[in-house]
Amino acid sequence: MGTCIICGSSVDGRICQTHEEDVVFEFRGDDANQLIPGRYYVGSVDGFAEFGVFVDLAPSVTGLLHRSEIPGRIESLDWDEGDAVYVQVDEVHGNGNVDLSWSIRQSERDFRGKLIQDPDAETTAELPEDESAAPAGAVEQTESETESEPESEPESEPEPDSEPEPESEPEPEVVDEAVEADDSEAVEAEAESESESESESREPVHVSAGELEGFVGDLVSLEGELTSTRQTSGPTVFELTDETGVVECAAFVEAGVRAYPEIETGDVVRLVGEVERHHGELQVETEELDELSGDARETVLARLNDALDERARPDDTSLLVDDDDIAVVQDGLVNAATAVRRAVAEGRPVIVRHTADVDGYVAGAAIERAVLPLVREEHAVSNAEYHYIDRRPLDGDFYGMEAATNDVTSMLEAEQRHDEKHPLFVLVGTGSTRESLDGLGLLDAYDARSVAIDGGYADGEAADAATVLVSPTQDGGDAVRTGVLGTHLAALVNDDARDDIAHLPAAAFWTDTPDAYADAAADAGYDADELADIRDAIALEAFYQSYEDKRELIADLLWEENDSLAAHVAGQFRSKLDTELETARRHLSARGEDGVTFDVLDVGAFTHKYDFPPQDLLLDALFRDRTDEVDVLVGANEDEIRLRSTRHVDARAVGEAVAEELPEAGVTPRGADDGHIEFLRGEREDVIDAVVDAVAAQLD
């Protein structure tokens, strides 16, 4: 029996089942069937093919990392033949073929330890014997051979019948050996004493992480926050962050044993150690590690916060273009950008949650585009851009409990498995109404920070749950396109991205693009037809695989120099939309109430529920087509009503009025101007009539 190198529990080997995916294995077998699915292995690139990458896990065992498993194009990998790479074994087929999965961890340092899997060893998980990673079981084997050595060399003993020659008689060396042992122990003790004396006489120099380059070989002390802890098969590696940077600090008790188990990630500490170079990088060999408390802790935290805020605040706080509606929340956007930049500087993942429509994708992709270079600059590992920035489209209009539960589950798993910090959640086009309060409250319960930007009419109650809430209508401004708001945020997050995203706001408008944004797009080289193609193509792709970010495809549509892809996808969009519009126009029901003209469409009866276009997009297109003839479009399906109006209509206020009039109809308003009204399907006709009356009264 052994102990788990991570949690210390008793196991048959060196890793428990719970933490098996937290370490990487070196495979020393010769048969693919000896591999264990689910484990991560280090291998080497054998070659590239159109359908994937071949990876050697052993001289006679090769697996395939299919292109569908690679987050990006094969050509985007910075791998060469022979490079060491890290993969997960997904499945081993009966014919010996091995399916591999992608690993975002692409260095041994990203794992919490390294183990050997040798089929000839007693267990399938053993510690390497030394730095050269000797075969598992070698220690036991060597000891066994040493014990049996006298019996294994009978030829060296004299023959039974022969007289031993005098000179061959063993001389009494016991005394000499004892003397030598005593001398050796004395020398070792003296050296140890000198070393301890020298260590005690050295006073550590207090430095910051950014100054360590000039103190190699010196004993130093540092103060900061422990931002990660990683247990390797040898030392424990702490990551210490102070106001000037980050440094790794190694502490060794014995192989695979956690040093300073009382110290946890997030603690503020004072560390003393010697500065060394490890594989070309600076590392502090830890001699003392103490948690700070009280005033000492608060002083360090205040220093860290001040430095991070100063570093994170954008240098250029001007808007992407002059826009009076956006200027209303310019300070809020600067605060939101500071929060995003600070998250990157802290090594905190940024999770962008956006609605699955054109506005959401334009804003989300702009923010992603701005954050990616900052992540690459902050983190040297090649997979950082897939680990520290993630864009997740929402399945719905609000950041509800389902989305929040998924996010918290992923967050806690990453914290448990990889000691990862809680992310900053950037909510785009959502999070500003009370329907998101429960979801935001769940994030808040786990101290997960959030930023919400929304161009629509916000419900002020949600502001308490979010770190930063940016909505023009909360500050007395007019509603704006969320895609425009998100692009301004992206420009503040990364000034270098301004030219790259200048055309995106214009792509968010379906009609009447403001001159400032049209001019910015033209200066960037995009004409009106190209922008229309981009917008329509994004609208179509947003509908398909709505749970996926489609990072590379969306990037190709928004930034591809050859516009043939956007034009091709946009053609499909228009064909599908025109077919639905033709059907919908024929089934509109006209109404009038108190001088307000209405069109009512039975959306459930005259659209394809699971086909493109989605109901919201169809109603938008239909209303643009009918704006000159009606004031309000009412789209009703089996149990929901959605409104489109030439003037601002507060859907929540309408729903509340109808709920009061029809208490048995189960009427529940969701959202504000771009929200909807839910009801019991048996009360449908009465609810439609009541909604028409309430809207007319609001517009009167």
PDB file of all heavy atoms in Angstrom, residues 627-650:
ATOM      1  N   THR A 627     -43.038  48.585 -39.739  1.00  0.00           N
ATOM      2  CA  THR A 627     -42.936  49.775 -38.898  1.00  0.00           C
ATOM      3  C   THR A 627     -43.758  50.945 -39.418  1.00  0.00           C
ATOM      4  O   THR A 627     -44.364  51.701 -38.640  1.00  0.00           O
ATOM      5  CB  THR A 627     -41.460  50.198 -38.762  1.00  0.00           C
ATOM      6  OG1 THR A 627     -40.719  49.133 -38.166  1.00  0.00           O
ATOM      7  CG2 THR A 627     -41.332  51.435 -37.889  1.00  0.00           C
ATOM      8  N   ASP A 628     -43.831  51.115 -40.730  1.00  0.00           N
ATOM      9  CA  ASP A 628     -44.573  52.249 -41.300  1.00  0.00           C
ATOM     10  C   ASP A 628     -46.080  52.069 -41.198  1.00  0.00           C
ATOM     11  O   ASP A 628     -46.835  53.023 -41.433  1.00  0.00           O
ATOM     12  CB  ASP A 628     -44.176  52.445 -42.764  1.00  0.00           C
ATOM     13  CG  ASP A 628     -42.720  52.871 -42.912  1.00  0.00           C
ATOM     14  OD1 ASP A 628     -42.180  53.432 -41.937  1.00  0.00           O
ATOM     15  OD2 ASP A 628     -42.125  52.611 -43.972  1.00  0.00           O
ATOM     16  N   GLU A 629     -46.564  50.868 -40.859  1.00  0.00           N
ATOM     17  CA  GLU A 629     -48.000  50.601 -40.894  1.00  0.00           C
ATOM     18  C   GLU A 629     -48.601  50.346 -39.518  1.00  0.00           C
ATOM     19  O   GLU A 629     -49.806  50.549 -39.325  1.00  0.00           O
ATOM     20  CB  GLU A 629     -48.279  49.388 -41.792  1.00  0.00           C
ATOM     21  CG  GLU A 629     -47.773  49.584 -43.220  1.00  0.00           C
ATOM     22  CD  GLU A 629     -47.976  48.350 -44.077  1.00  0.00           C
ATOM     23  OE1 GLU A 629     -49.073  47.775 -44.015  1.00  0.00           O
ATOM     24  OE2 GLU A 629     -47.026  47.968 -44.783  1.00  0.00           O
ATOM     25  N   VAL A 630     -47.806  49.888 -38.554  1.00  0.00           N
ATOM     26  CA  VAL A 630     -48.347  49.590 -37.222  1.00  0.00           C
ATOM     27  C   VAL A 630     -47.451  50.169 -36.146  1.00  0.00           C
ATOM     28  O   VAL A 630     -46.260  50.421 -36.370  1.00  0.00           O
ATOM     29  CB  VAL A 630     -48.502  48.068 -36.994  1.00  0.00           C
ATOM     30  CG1 VAL A 630     -49.486  47.458 -37.974  1.00  0.00           C
ATOM     31  CG2 VAL A 630     -47.149  47.369 -37.071  1.00  0.00           C
ATOM     32  N   ASP A 631     -48.038  50.346 -34.942  1.00  0.00           N
ATOM     33  CA  ASP A 631     -47.278  50.839 -33.795  1.00  0.00           C
ATOM     34  C   ASP A 631     -46.679  49.707 -32.973  1.00  0.00           C
ATOM     35  O   ASP A 631     -45.577  49.833 -32.438  1.00  0.00           O
ATOM     36  CB  ASP A 631     -48.195  51.677 -32.886  1.00  0.00           C
ATOM     37  CG  ASP A 631     -48.745  52.900 -33.584  1.00  0.00           C
ATOM     38  OD1 ASP A 631     -47.966  53.601 -34.255  1.00  0.00           O
ATOM     39  OD2 ASP A 631     -49.963  53.148 -33.472  1.00  0.00           O
ATOM     40  N   VAL A 632     -47.431  48.604 -32.860  1.00  0.00           N
ATOM     41  CA  VAL A 632     -47.009  47.518 -31.972  1.00  0.00           C
ATOM     42  C   VAL A 632     -47.244  46.178 -32.659  1.00  0.00           C
ATOM     43  O   VAL A 632     -48.285  45.969 -33.289  1.00  0.00           O
ATOM     44  CB  VAL A 632     -47.785  47.544 -30.632  1.00  0.00           C
ATOM     45  CG1 VAL A 632     -47.313  46.419 -29.713  1.00  0.00           C
ATOM     46  CG2 VAL A 632     -47.631  48.892 -29.938  1.00  0.00           C
ATOM     47  N   LEU A 633     -46.255  45.284 -32.543  1.00  0.00           N
ATOM     48  CA  LEU A 633     -46.400  43.906 -33.003  1.00  0.00           C
ATOM     49  C   LEU A 633     -46.459  43.010 -31.772  1.00  0.00           C
ATOM     50  O   LEU A 633     -45.595  43.082 -30.892  1.00  0.00           O
ATOM     51  CB  LEU A 633     -45.220  43.496 -33.889  1.00  0.00           C
ATOM     52  CG  LEU A 633     -45.145  42.022 -34.293  1.00  0.00           C
ATOM     53  CD1 LEU A 633     -46.345  41.621 -35.162  1.00  0.00           C
ATOM     54  CD2 LEU A 633     -43.834  41.718 -35.030  1.00  0.00           C
ATOM     55  N   VAL A 634     -47.487  42.156 -31.712  1.00  0.00           N
ATOM     56  CA  VAL A 634     -47.652  41.206 -30.613  1.00  0.00           C
ATOM     57  C   VAL A 634     -47.444  39.805 -31.170  1.00  0.00           C
ATOM     58  O   VAL A 634     -48.198  39.347 -32.042  1.00  0.00           O
ATOM     59  CB  VAL A 634     -49.057  41.312 -29.976  1.00  0.00           C
ATOM     60  CG1 VAL A 634     -49.211  40.278 -28.857  1.00  0.00           C
ATOM     61  CG2 VAL A 634     -49.301  42.720 -29.460  1.00  0.00           C
ATOM     62  N   GLY A 635     -46.418  39.128 -30.691  1.00  0.00           N
ATOM     63  CA  GLY A 635     -46.156  37.753 -31.102  1.00  0.00           C
ATOM     64  C   GLY A 635     -46.503  36.809 -29.974  1.00  0.00           C
ATOM     65  O   GLY A 635     -45.921  36.880 -28.881  1.00  0.00           O
ATOM     66  N   ALA A 636     -47.488  35.937 -30.205  1.00  0.00           N
ATOM     67  CA  ALA A 636     -47.967  35.051 -29.138  1.00  0.00           C
ATOM     68  C   ALA A 636     -47.805  33.595 -29.552  1.00  0.00           C
ATOM     69  O   ALA A 636     -48.256  33.187 -30.622  1.00  0.00           O
ATOM     70  CB  ALA A 636     -49.436  35.343 -28.840  1.00  0.00           C
ATOM     71  N   ASN A 637     -47.161  32.823 -28.686  1.00  0.00           N
ATOM     72  CA  ASN A 637     -47.154  31.380 -28.918  1.00  0.00           C
ATOM     73  C   ASN A 637     -48.059  30.729 -27.872  1.00  0.00           C
ATOM     74  O   ASN A 637     -48.972  31.373 -27.364  1.00  0.00           O
ATOM     75  CB  ASN A 637     -45.733  30.817 -28.910  1.00  0.00           C
ATOM     76  CG  ASN A 637     -45.028  31.025 -27.587  1.00  0.00           C
ATOM     77  OD1 ASN A 637     -45.659  31.255 -26.561  1.00  0.00           O
ATOM     78  ND2 ASN A 637     -43.703  30.951 -27.613  1.00  0.00           N
ATOM     79  N   GLU A 638     -47.807  29.472 -27.514  1.00  0.00           N
ATOM     80  CA  GLU A 638     -48.738  28.763 -26.638  1.00  0.00           C
ATOM     81  C   GLU A 638     -48.836  29.373 -25.250  1.00  0.00           C
ATOM     82  O   GLU A 638     -49.913  29.396 -24.642  1.00  0.00           O
ATOM     83  CB  GLU A 638     -48.324  27.296 -26.529  1.00  0.00           C
ATOM     84  CG  GLU A 638     -48.439  26.534 -27.846  1.00  0.00           C
ATOM     85  CD  GLU A 638     -47.924  25.110 -27.719  1.00  0.00           C
ATOM     86  OE1 GLU A 638     -47.183  24.849 -26.742  1.00  0.00           O
ATOM     87  OE2 GLU A 638     -48.253  24.275 -28.567  1.00  0.00           O
ATOM     88  N   ASP A 639     -47.712  29.870 -24.696  1.00  0.00           N
ATOM     89  CA  ASP A 639     -47.754  30.373 -23.317  1.00  0.00           C
ATOM     90  C   ASP A 639     -46.851  31.584 -23.095  1.00  0.00           C
ATOM     91  O   ASP A 639     -46.468  31.879 -21.970  1.00  0.00           O
ATOM     92  CB  ASP A 639     -47.388  29.260 -22.334  1.00  0.00           C
ATOM     93  CG  ASP A 639     -46.035  28.642 -22.645  1.00  0.00           C
ATOM     94  OD1 ASP A 639     -45.338  29.143 -23.553  1.00  0.00           O
ATOM     95  OD2 ASP A 639     -45.665  27.663 -21.978  1.00  0.00           O
ATOM     96  N   GLU A 640     -46.481  32.293 -24.176  1.00  0.00           N
ATOM     97  CA  GLU A 640     -45.638  33.478 -24.047  1.00  0.00           C
ATOM     98  C   GLU A 640     -46.078  34.548 -25.040  1.00  0.00           C
ATOM     99  O   GLU A 640     -46.568  34.228 -26.136  1.00  0.00           O
ATOM    100  CB  GLU A 640     -44.162  33.159 -24.330  1.00  0.00           C
ATOM    101  CG  GLU A 640     -43.451  32.386 -23.248  1.00  0.00           C
ATOM    102  CD  GLU A 640     -41.990  32.151 -23.595  1.00  0.00           C
ATOM    103  OE1 GLU A 640     -41.556  32.547 -24.706  1.00  0.00           O
ATOM    104  OE2 GLU A 640     -41.281  31.573 -22.754  1.00  0.00           O
ATOM    105  N   ILE A 641     -45.888  35.799 -24.677  1.00  0.00           N
ATOM    106  CA  ILE A 641     -46.123  36.926 -25.579  1.00  0.00           C
ATOM    107  C   ILE A 641     -44.869  37.787 -25.604  1.00  0.00           C
ATOM    108  O   ILE A 641     -44.292  38.096 -24.558  1.00  0.00           O
ATOM    109  CB  ILE A 641     -47.330  37.778 -25.118  1.00  0.00           C
ATOM    110  CG1 ILE A 641     -48.637  37.041 -25.390  1.00  0.00           C
ATOM    111  CG2 ILE A 641     -47.345  39.144 -25.811  1.00  0.00           C
ATOM    112  CD1 ILE A 641     -49.872  37.776 -24.917  1.00  0.00           C
ATOM    113  N   ARG A 642     -44.455  38.171 -26.817  1.00  0.00           N
ATOM    114  CA  ARG A 642     -43.321  39.067 -27.002  1.00  0.00           C
ATOM    115  C   ARG A 642     -43.800  40.294 -27.764  1.00  0.00           C
ATOM    116  O   ARG A 642     -44.607  40.179 -28.696  1.00  0.00           O
ATOM    117  CB  ARG A 642     -42.181  38.363 -27.746  1.00  0.00           C
ATOM    118  CG  ARG A 642     -41.621  37.195 -26.933  1.00  0.00           C
ATOM    119  CD  ARG A 642     -40.570  36.391 -27.681  1.00  0.00           C
ATOM    120  NE  ARG A 642     -40.170  35.236 -26.895  1.00  0.00           N
ATOM    121  CZ  ARG A 642     -39.179  35.226 -26.008  1.00  0.00           C
ATOM    122  NH1 ARG A 642     -38.483  36.339 -25.802  1.00  0.00           N
ATOM    123  NH2 ARG A 642     -38.882  34.139 -25.328  1.00  0.00           N
ATOM    124  N   LEU A 643     -43.266  41.452 -27.387  1.00  0.00           N
ATOM    125  CA  LEU A 643     -43.742  42.720 -27.933  1.00  0.00           C
ATOM    126  C   LEU A 643     -42.636  43.436 -28.706  1.00  0.00           C
ATOM    127  O   LEU A 643     -41.464  43.400 -28.309  1.00  0.00           O
ATOM    128  CB  LEU A 643     -44.224  43.632 -26.798  1.00  0.00           C
ATOM    129  CG  LEU A 643     -45.356  43.090 -25.914  1.00  0.00           C
ATOM    130  CD1 LEU A 643     -45.565  44.006 -24.713  1.00  0.00           C
ATOM    131  CD2 LEU A 643     -46.645  42.959 -26.716  1.00  0.00           C
ATOM    132  N   ARG A 644     -43.038  44.101 -29.793  1.00  0.00           N
ATOM    133  CA  ARG A 644     -42.166  45.007 -30.528  1.00  0.00           C
ATOM    134  C   ARG A 644     -42.953  46.294 -30.748  1.00  0.00           C
ATOM    135  O   ARG A 644     -44.108  46.248 -31.168  1.00  0.00           O
ATOM    136  CB  ARG A 644     -41.733  44.405 -31.868  1.00  0.00           C
ATOM    137  CG  ARG A 644     -40.968  43.090 -31.757  1.00  0.00           C
ATOM    138  CD  ARG A 644     -39.621  43.300 -31.075  1.00  0.00           C
ATOM    139  NE  ARG A 644     -38.834  42.077 -31.040  1.00  0.00           N
ATOM    140  CZ  ARG A 644     -38.838  41.201 -30.051  1.00  0.00           C
ATOM    141  NH1 ARG A 644     -39.629  41.403 -29.000  1.00  0.00           N
ATOM    142  NH2 ARG A 644     -38.084  40.129 -30.104  1.00  0.00           N
ATOM    143  N   SER A 645     -42.313  47.437 -30.489  1.00  0.00           N
ATOM    144  CA  SER A 645     -43.051  48.692 -30.550  1.00  0.00           C
ATOM    145  C   SER A 645     -42.171  49.808 -31.081  1.00  0.00           C
ATOM    146  O   SER A 645     -40.937  49.797 -30.891  1.00  0.00           O
ATOM    147  CB  SER A 645     -43.565  49.074 -29.155  1.00  0.00           C
ATOM    148  OG  SER A 645     -44.181  50.336 -29.165  1.00  0.00           O
ATOM    149  N   THR A 646     -42.813  50.800 -31.751  1.00  0.00           N
ATOM    150  CA  THR A 646     -42.083  51.970 -32.248  1.00  0.00           C
ATOM    151  C   THR A 646     -41.685  52.895 -31.103  1.00  0.00           C
ATOM    152  O   THR A 646     -40.794  53.717 -31.255  1.00  0.00           O
ATOM    153  CB  THR A 646     -42.941  52.748 -33.255  1.00  0.00           C
ATOM    154  OG1 THR A 646     -44.205  53.065 -32.641  1.00  0.00           O
ATOM    155  CG2 THR A 646     -43.182  51.928 -34.513  1.00  0.00           C
ATOM    156  N   ARG A 647     -42.376  52.789 -29.986  1.00  0.00           N
ATOM    157  CA  ARG A 647     -42.043  53.554 -28.787  1.00  0.00           C
ATOM    158  C   ARG A 647     -41.737  52.593 -27.638  1.00  0.00           C
ATOM    159  O   ARG A 647     -42.121  51.430 -27.682  1.00  0.00           O
ATOM    160  CB  ARG A 647     -43.207  54.482 -28.409  1.00  0.00           C
ATOM    161  CG  ARG A 647     -43.380  55.669 -29.340  1.00  0.00           C
ATOM    162  CD  ARG A 647     -44.553  56.541 -28.877  1.00  0.00           C
ATOM    163  NE  ARG A 647     -45.842  55.957 -29.243  1.00  0.00           N
ATOM    164  CZ  ARG A 647     -47.008  56.370 -28.740  1.00  0.00           C
ATOM    165  NH1 ARG A 647     -47.030  57.327 -27.833  1.00  0.00           N
ATOM    166  NH2 ARG A 647     -48.134  55.809 -29.125  1.00  0.00           N
ATOM    167  N   HIS A 648     -41.056  53.114 -26.626  1.00  0.00           N
ATOM    168  CA  HIS A 648     -40.667  52.258 -25.516  1.00  0.00           C
ATOM    169  C   HIS A 648     -41.888  51.701 -24.791  1.00  0.00           C
ATOM    170  O   HIS A 648     -42.765  52.456 -24.360  1.00  0.00           O
ATOM    171  CB  HIS A 648     -39.797  53.029 -24.519  1.00  0.00           C
ATOM    172  CG  HIS A 648     -39.521  52.274 -23.262  1.00  0.00           C
ATOM    173  ND1 HIS A 648     -39.806  52.782 -22.012  1.00  0.00           N
ATOM    174  CD2 HIS A 648     -39.025  51.021 -23.056  1.00  0.00           C
ATOM    175  CE1 HIS A 648     -39.476  51.891 -21.094  1.00  0.00           C
ATOM    176  NE2 HIS A 648     -38.994  50.822 -21.699  1.00  0.00           N
ATOM    177  N   VAL A 649     -41.916  50.372 -24.667  1.00  0.00           N
ATOM    178  CA  VAL A 649     -42.949  49.688 -23.896  1.00  0.00           C
ATOM    179  C   VAL A 649     -42.254  48.864 -22.819  1.00  0.00           C
ATOM    180  O   VAL A 649     -41.356  48.062 -23.109  1.00  0.00           O
ATOM    181  CB  VAL A 649     -43.812  48.769 -24.789  1.00  0.00           C
ATOM    182  CG1 VAL A 649     -44.729  47.912 -23.924  1.00  0.00           C
ATOM    183  CG2 VAL A 649     -44.630  49.592 -25.765  1.00  0.00           C
ATOM    184  N   ASP A 650     -42.673  49.068 -21.574  1.00  0.00           N
ATOM    185  CA  ASP A 650     -42.126  48.309 -20.457  1.00  0.00           C
ATOM    186  C   ASP A 650     -42.924  47.016 -20.326  1.00  0.00           C
ATOM    187  O   ASP A 650     -44.045  47.005 -19.818  1.00  0.00           O
ATOM    188  CB  ASP A 650     -42.224  49.136 -19.177  1.00  0.00           C
ATOM    189  CG  ASP A 650     -41.521  48.464 -18.001  1.00  0.00           C
ATOM    190  OD1 ASP A 650     -41.375  47.232 -18.019  1.00  0.00           O
ATOM    191  OD2 ASP A 650     -41.129  49.181 -17.064  1.00  0.00           O
TER     192      ASP A 650
END
